[in-house]
Amino acid sequence: MAVRLDKPWRRLDSAAVSGLSGQLGVYQLSDDGATVRAIHRVDARSLFGLRGELGRELAERGEGLFFRLEVNHQPRTRWLELMMVHRADHGCLPAWNPPEDGEGLGRLSPA
Amino acid sequence: MDLSLTDEQKLIVDQVRRFVREEIVPLEDGLDPDADSLPPDDHERLAGRVAEMGLYGLDIPPEFGGPDVDIVTRTLLAIEMSQHRAGLYAPCYNVFGGAGLAQMFEANDDQKQRFLFPMLRGEKKTFFGLTEPSGGSDPARAIQTRAVRDGDDWVINGAKMFISGADRADFGLVFARTDPSKGRAGVTCFIVETDTPGFHVRRIVHTLRAARYATELQFADMRVPHANVLGEVNGGFAIANDRVSRQRIPYAATCIGVAVKAQELAVEYAGIRETFGDKLAHRQGIQWMVVENEIDIRQALWITLAAADKARRGEPFRTDSALAKIVATEASGRVVDRAMQIHGGYGVTKDLPFERWYREMRIRRIGEGPNEVQRHIVARDLFGSSLR
Ligand SMILES: Cc1cc2nc3c(=O)[nH]c(=O)nc-3n(C[C@H](O)[C@H](O)[C@H](O)COP(=O)(O)OP(=O)(O)OC[C@H]3O[C@@H](n4cnc5c(N)ncnc54)[C@H](O)[C@@H]3O)c2cc1C
């Protein structure tokens, strides 16, 4: 399993959301299809899994964004890992993640 | 009973084994660890390969265009097709197609046109709605969803729990009580389209299973035309029961496939990994685990093939398939557990398939009729039908 989530970005629109599954996992958001702006997890508290949460993002933020996701039954540890990798690569968390997401976050030095 | 494979069986088992190893397993390296589907291009390409092999729609009866493969051979193939990470609940990521809801073969001509054929062509996805919040082991008593006739329609109110795939389905079967005074003889099976007003998927029910998650449904004054009654009014329970009995053999077989693969990986790893100056394979403690695995696998395999053989010969196989379901699900769970132990820490990582098998295999003792209920079926056979 690759440490980085480096799948191609997809446009966040209603057609894309309706084709998503309701599984657990993690997703990233971008406003230019290149820069990671947010990393989020979808755990078992979500009503409709990845589809539900990305649908909510679309409703709240509107069209024009990009996303990519990973279906993963351990969304919390994978989310922490992706945040650590992002911080290792860029020196900070993604711009749209609240600062408290970084509290207690470990350190990674991925290859 | 002769359990040796015919030349033809050997040929297609070998063909499918190679397909899984050469096409499916390498693809999994690039998929999410809990993926249950392939990217569309890969799916199309591999489904095409399966069609070229003449094996597309394996469990579709030949009169509906299936490849006419007998149930013993299909059982052998099911054992092969599950030998990869997603294999338990998404064998070969469904590129072999499938019959979907087997009960739909009971449909009348009009229903066949509207539902069965599109389902077989892969154009319509389905769900099977039997279990309710009030219970799934004994649906004849537990079903509280009510259907009341109103002119040419039935008005359905109630709820279903743990219904796999309903959020993405086009239609499904909903079992509802149509005569509350009659117990199991008062349940009817309805074909329900998911765009019907009053049909609601209230949430996804997240479980240990990564593939084909479950959902919770609610029906609020949902009007379903009488033309969508499958089979006879008040004859739904037999339809539900029939599916569950039939399903037990492939259900057992996919568990065995995972166990076979887990054992193969355990034997290989024990031959490489060294501790305290010697290979794990040279330790009696490890050897015995591998031997216990082999005993579990062979028992499950033979009981399951025996059930399939009875089904092939047209003999009653309800008890045999219940035994197969019990033995295969429990034995395979033990095999995966031991294989995981032999792999030590790596066994529980997402780098290897064991953790997914371990989670998903646990459900197998509950799904398709829990093992306690299977034991009840076998006991009824041994003690006579007076047992309630
Ligand atoms: C992931 C998942 C997917 C599912 N998909 C579907 C689906 O697509 N469609 C569908 O209709 N259902 C589905 N189910 C439901 C499944 O079939 C039920 O969970 C199962 O039948 C058990 O019903 P229950 O959970 O209500 O348990 P209960 O019926 O409440 O039983 C509770 C426990 O008591 C045990 N028990 C029951 N009776 C006895 C007895 N007489 N003696 C001893 N022990 C007994 C049972 O074995 C069980 O362990 C799914 C379930 C899961 C977990």
Side-chain angles (χ1 to χ4, degrees), chain A residues 1 7 18-24 43-44 46-49 51 69-74, chain B residues 32-36 167-168 201-204 206-211 213 350-351 355 359:
Chain A
M1 211 180 88
K7 295 179 183 178
S18 67
L20 296 177
S21 84
Q23 286 165 297
L24 309 180
D43 63 24
S46 73
L47 277 185
F48 292 99
R51 185 177 63 236
L69 59 78
E70 178 178 298
V71 178
N72 192 314
H73 243 59
Q74 269 79 37
Chain B
D32 295 350
D34 288 302
D36 63 357
D167 62 318
R168 309 184 85 183
V201 182
R202 290 300 184 198
R203 67 177 176 123
I204 283 164
H206 298 289
T207 67
L208 293 171
R209 187 166 91 184
Y213 47 79
K350 273 186 138 31
D351 298 343
E355 65 82 31
R359 280 185 282 118

Side-chain angles (χ1 to χ4, degrees), chain A:
Chain A
M1 211 180 88
V3 173
R4 287 183 177 77
L5 177 49
D6 53 8
K7 295 179 183 178
W9 291 98
R10 298 168 62 188
R11 271 186 191 286
L12 182 63
D13 54 29
S14 50
V17 169
S18 67
L20 296 177
S21 84
Q23 286 165 297
L24 309 180
V26 288
Y27 64 88
Q28 296 179 334
L29 294 176
S30 172
D31 51 0
D32 59 2
T35 316
V36 177
R37 295 291 182 201
I39 304 172
H40 292 305
R41 66 173 190 264
V42 177
D43 63 24
R45 285 170 297 189
S46 73
L47 277 185
F48 292 99
L50 286 159
R51 185 177 63 236
E53 291 309 302
L54 280 155
R56 185 187 51 73
E57 295 280 9
L58 176 63
E60 285 174 13
R61 295 176 189 268
E63 293 204 358
L65 295 182
F66 298 82
F67 74 101
R68 55 191 181 189
L69 59 78
E70 178 178 298
V71 178
N72 192 314
H73 243 59
Q74 269 79 37
R76 189 178 141 74
T77 43
R78 183 63 172 131
W79 173 69
L80 291 170
E81 179 182 48
L82 287 174
M83 301 257 287
M84 286 187 266
V85 170
H86 192 279
R87 202 162 61 178
D89 289 348
H90 303 280
C92 59
L93 294 185
W96 298 348
N97 277 87
E100 54 269 28
D101 281 356
E103 284 168 19
L105 196 64
R107 249 182 320 185
L108 271 185
S109 313

Side-chain angles (χ1 to χ4, degrees), chain B residues 128-184:
Chain B
F128 180 78
L130 180 66
T131 306
E132 303 208 352
S134 49
S137 301
D138 179 20
R141 288 183 185 78
I143 288 178
Q144 293 177 7
T145 294
R146 281 280 280 135
V148 177
R149 184 84 191 246
D150 182 25
D152 285 343
D153 293 340
W154 290 83
V155 179
I156 302 182
N157 281 285
K160 295 282 172 187
M161 187 65 185
F162 297 125
I163 306 307
S164 304
D167 62 318
R168 309 184 85 183
D170 299 287
F171 74 91
L173 300 183
V174 169
F175 294 84
R177 201 165 286 289
T178 36
D179 187 340
S181 67
K182 285 200 184 137
R184 70 176 53 201

Side-chain angles (χ1 to χ4, degrees), chain B residues 94-108:
Chain B
N94 307 318
V95 295
F96 279 77
L101 292 171
Q103 299 70 20
M104 287 305 297
F105 295 113
E106 318 269 328
N108 61 32

Side-chain angles (χ1 to χ4, degrees), chain B residues 17-328:
Chain B
R17 182 171 301 165
R18 271 191 285 115
F19 179 82
V20 173
R21 287 173 190 219
E22 290 168 15
E23 302 285 1
I24 300 291
V25 173
L27 266 186
E28 280 190 332
D29 286 342
L31 294 179
D32 295 350
D34 288 302
D36 63 357
S37 59
L38 294 175
D41 289 353
D42 287 322
H43 192 282
E44 202 175 315
R45 178 176 60 79
L46 293 181
R49 287 276 325 274
V50 169
E52 280 164 22
M53 294 194 280
L55 294 175
Y56 193 80
L58 263 185
D59 52 351
I60 298 174
E63 60 271 31
F64 292 100
D68 198 8
V69 178
D70 70 273
I71 182 162
V72 175
T73 312
R74 275 190 275 134
T75 304
L76 293 166
L77 295 182
I79 291 170
E80 296 301 326
M81 284 157 54
S82 62
Q83 294 188 28
H84 60 99
R85 188 170 55 201
L88 204 52
Y89 281 101
C92 291
Y93 296 91
N94 307 318
V95 295
F96 279 77
L101 292 171
Q103 299 70 20
M104 287 305 297
F105 295 113
E106 318 269 328
N108 61 32
D109 287 345
D110 160 57
Q111 293 166 344
K112 279 183 181 139
Q113 292 299 334
R114 288 191 292 139
F115 301 107
L116 174 70
F117 297 134
M119 175 185 87
L120 294 180
R121 287 194 296 267
E123 294 159 11
K124 289 199 173 179
K125 295 198 179 102
T126 60
F127 70 86
F128 180 78
L130 180 66
T131 306
E132 303 208 352
S134 49
S137 301
D138 179 20
R141 288 183 185 78
I143 288 178
Q144 293 177 7
T145 294
R146 281 280 280 135
V148 177
R149 184 84 191 246
D150 182 25
D152 285 343
D153 293 340
W154 290 83
V155 179
I156 302 182
N157 281 285
K160 295 282 172 187
M161 187 65 185
F162 297 125
I163 306 307
S164 304
D167 62 318
R168 309 184 85 183
D170 299 287
F171 74 91
L173 300 183
V174 169
F175 294 84
R177 201 165 286 289
T178 36
D179 187 340
S181 67
K182 285 200 184 137
R184 70 176 53 201
V187 172
T188 299
C189 177
F190 296 89
I191 305 170
V192 173
E193 290 175 90
T194 52
D195 58 3
T196 308
F199 177 94
H200 302 286
V201 182
R202 290 300 184 198
R203 67 177 176 123
I204 283 164
V205 184
H206 298 289
T207 67
L208 293 171
R209 187 166 91 184
R212 247 180 105 68
Y213 47 79
T215 61
E216 181 172 346
L217 308 183
Q218 193 200 355
F219 315 125
D221 290 330
M222 178 174 76
R223 297 187 84 86
V224 176
H226 181 72
N228 283 17
V229 169
L230 184 66
E232 303 290 320
V233 171
N234 293 332
F237 196 71
I239 293 176
N241 235 359
D242 186 53
R243 150 171 160 142
V244 177
S245 317
R246 270 187 230 206
Q247 272 300 103
R248 278 177 205 134
I249 295 173
Y251 200 76
T254 45
C255 294
I256 296 168
V258 164
V260 166
K261 190 69 188 173
Q263 169 77 329
E264 184 187 306
L265 294 171
V267 169
E268 192 183 314
Y269 190 72
I272 302 167
R273 186 73 166 176
E274 290 191 9
T275 63
F276 300 97
D278 204 355
K279 293 199 164 59
L280 289 180
H282 296 165
R283 309 286 180 192
Q284 196 178 45
I286 299 292
Q287 290 166 0
W288 285 18
M289 282 197 225
V290 170
V291 172
E292 293 300 327
N293 277 358
E294 200 59 27
I295 294 169
D296 273 333
I297 289 169
R298 290 191 194 203
Q299 282 175 345
L301 179 66
W302 289 338
I303 286 180
T304 304
L305 285 177
D309 191 53
K310 267 199 169 177
R312 184 179 59 81
R313 284 186 275 121
E315 293 175 18
F317 64 96
R318 200 170 136 82
T319 301
D320 305 75
S321 65
L323 282 170
K325 199 262 175 182
I326 298 168
V327 176

